[in-house]
Amino acid sequence: PSSDCVVAEQLCLSDSTCNATYRTLESCALAKTRLLSLDHDSRVRCLNAELDLGNSSLLHCKCHRRMKKQEHCLRIFWTVHSSMTDGYFNLETSPYENPANEEHWKTDYNKLAALVSGKNCSQLAGDATNSCLKATHVCNLSKKCFRLRTDYASICTKGAGNEDVCDRRKCHRGLRNFFEKVPEDFTKRILFCPCQDEFCGERRRKTIVPHCSFQYNTKPNCLWLLDSCLEDHICKSRLADFQQNCQPLDMSPDGCSLHNHAACLQAYMGMIGTPMTPNYVSNSSVEVSLWCTCENSGNQKEKCDQILGMFESNKCL
């Protein structure tokens, strides 16, 4: 069976029985996105349709973070697995292929980094102590890294400081483009550069142009942020990926259930450019958070604290 949901959907639609089952699941998923409450019989019908897929490749298909038809692929995945999100934000499983199974790009990062290190230090003032500045210089030597970083920076800074509000949706799309299309050799070093002083920390915190991508004038409730995320196929998928790969576990030696630090960092980067974009909280620490609050959460305070805690007190990060 194909592991790609787009191919799996095509195979299913060519089979009359699978086609009918899939159409039922589509109407179930549509009702859910419109927040229509399904009666008992409808819920049973939806659950049975999911079970009827049996060993269909649709039931086991996945998507790739860098694929061209990513949004279409994710829509198929959540159509088939719509019962997973019933009533709670724990999404159980990631729609994304295991990072170990994905292609890793060969890059010329080390060659470009050597070029930067070999330049006259006076040209790159502060490079010796500012690893964030050095990572930016290396990015600038790569055409793709420079172009996509410039793209999101220009979109996310439009309107900043003026009365105009920046176009957050376009800013987020630009950030996702950067983190998806530029090899991780470049993106990880720009986002996770180690800092010894606040000047470097400030540069790191501003990597994602937080005034546009991260902050609102006032902090919204974290439950509102979650609702915005679950209405968006990409954000919901990235959140599921983050929950799977950054699952804290007290019994584990490093406090992390999967012991795969790289997969967790990749999942964290996947959240950037979504309604639940995280960022560093200050110039002098590596603590991260969402831009939201749990004040006035009423009887959902515990759930709200859990959402915020996924970032603020996550040992895997």
Side-chain angles (χ1 to χ4, degrees):
S2 170
S3 62
D4 181 332
C5 290
V6 178
V7 177
E9 182 191 45
Q10 289 168 349
L11 289 171
C12 176
L13 296 181
S14 65
D15 175 273
S16 57
T17 307
C18 187
N19 191 327
T21 304
Y22 185 62
R23 296 305 180 197
T24 300
L25 287 171
E26 279 188 317
S27 62
C28 297
L30 188 64
K32 216 161 193 189
T33 55
R34 290 178 179 169
L35 301 176
L36 302 174
S37 53
L38 298 172
D39 58 35
H40 175 71
D41 289 348
S42 297
R43 282 202 300 274
V44 170
R45 184 170 56 85
C46 294
L47 203 56
N48 284 340
E50 203 169 305
L51 294 172
D52 284 344
L53 284 178
N55 287 323
S56 158
S57 52
L58 263 178
L59 203 58
H60 308 287
C61 71
K62 294 277 185 178
C63 302
H64 296 277
R65 289 165 186 80
R66 297 174 184 263
M67 69 189 295
K68 283 184 179 176
K69 294 184 177 179
Q70 185 181 167
E71 288 191 54
H72 178 56
C73 186
L74 295 173
R75 182 185 60 73
I76 297 165
F77 179 90
W78 292 115
T79 295
V80 175
H81 298 284
S82 63
S83 66
M84 276 185 189
T85 55
D86 263 352
Y88 195 56
F89 73 90
N90 193 331
L91 301 170
E92 293 184 25
T93 187
S94 170
Y96 289 111
E97 188 71 69
N98 186 318
N101 300 339
E102 294 196 343
E103 280 184 44
H104 288 285
W105 297 354
K106 287 181 181 174
T107 72
D108 52 0
Y109 185 88
N110 290 334
K111 188 169 71 178
L112 297 178
L115 280 177
V116 166
S117 299
K119 282 190 179 183
N120 188 323
C121 286
S122 62
Q123 287 178 272
L124 306 173
D127 255 13
T129 55
N130 193 335
S131 58
C132 293
L133 200 58
K134 181 175 180 179
T136 304
H137 288 314
V138 177
C139 172
N140 289 347
L141 292 177
S142 158
K143 284 181 183 176
K144 179 177 258 188
C145 190
F146 176 71
R147 177 172 56 81
L148 290 172
R149 183 172 167 272
T150 305
D151 282 354
Y152 86 71
S154 63
I155 296 165
C156 300
T157 48
K158 274 181 188 167
N162 303 326
E163 290 180 9
D164 303 327
V165 179
C166 74
D167 191 327
R168 190 183 302 269
R169 190 179 290 272
K170 278 188 179 175
C171 173
H172 280 168
R173 195 182 307 128
L175 278 165
R176 290 201 309 273
N177 252 343
F178 176 73
F179 285 107
E180 280 175 22
K181 293 179 179 175
V182 175
E184 283 180 23
D185 276 355
F186 295 88
T187 55
K188 274 188 174 176
R189 282 173 168 88
I190 285 176
L191 190 66
F192 302 126
C193 39
C195 287
Q196 308 297 322
D197 58 54
E198 291 200 8
F199 176 71
C200 175
E202 171 76 347
R203 190 175 186 92
R204 180 174 61 191
R205 191 182 65 80
K206 287 188 170 176
T207 297
I208 65 166
V209 196
H211 285 298
C212 185
S213 69
F214 178 65
Q215 292 169 219
Y216 293 81
N217 289 333
T218 54
K219 281 189 176 182
N221 188 283
C222 299
L223 295 166
W224 177 83
L225 220 57
L226 176 70
D227 287 342
S228 303
C229 183
L230 295 181
E231 287 169 11
D232 178 284
H233 281 127
I234 285 186
C235 188
K236 179 162 70 168
S237 302
R238 303 295 172 84
L239 181 61
D241 196 50
F242 180 80
Q243 287 183 326
Q244 181 174 296
N245 289 300
C246 299
Q247 191 67 254
L249 189 72
D250 290 334
M251 294 179 290
S252 168
D254 61 356
C256 210
S257 62
L258 282 185
H259 309 293
N260 190 343
H261 197 53
C264 178
L265 292 184
Q266 185 184 51
Y268 173 87
M269 287 195 295
M271 295 302 301
I272 294 170
T274 71
M276 284 182 76
T277 293
N279 196 27
Y280 296 99
V281 295
S282 75
N283 303 340
S284 53
S285 81
V286 289
E287 286 179 41
V288 296
S289 181
L290 297 171
W291 183 262
C292 63
T293 177
C294 283
E295 288 176 22
N296 307 317
S297 295
N299 60 2
Q300 289 193 297
K301 176 81 165 60
E302 190 179 340
K303 179 180 172 182
C304 186
D305 287 338
Q306 274 184 286
I307 296 161
L308 200 50
M310 283 195 296
F311 295 87
E312 283 191 343
S313 52
N314 189 327
K315 291 175 184 175
C316 299
L317 287 176

